[in-house]
Amino acid sequence: MKVRVDATLCQGHNRCYALAPDLFQLDEAGFASAVGDGTVPPGREDAAELAADNCPELAVLIDE
């Protein structure tokens, strides 16, 4: 599983980062992106799905 953030949709609410700071990082302007290549470590799948479900802009995407 991989997680990614659609930069065209992200508004900088940072809910993804608040829920899973090990999976997301913030840039200097406060916009999120996936850490590394977005690979979700074993056991963190629920956190990735929670982050996606809580994004008000639906910018957090999960690739199975």
Side-chain angles (χ1 to χ4, degrees), residues 9-32:
L9 297 176
C10 181
Q11 296 288 311
H13 296 286
N14 299 321
R15 290 183 186 177
C16 58
Y17 181 76
L19 292 167
D22 58 321
L23 301 179
F24 300 93
Q25 59 192 1
L26 303 179
D27 67 13
E28 60 280 347
F31 295 100

Side-chain angles (χ1 to χ4, degrees), residues 1-2 19-20 22-23 39-50:
M1 169 187 282
K2 287 192 176 190
L19 292 167
D22 58 321
L23 301 179
T39 299
V40 177
R44 295 297 288 153
E45 297 88 356
D46 288 346
E49 291 174 8
L50 184 64

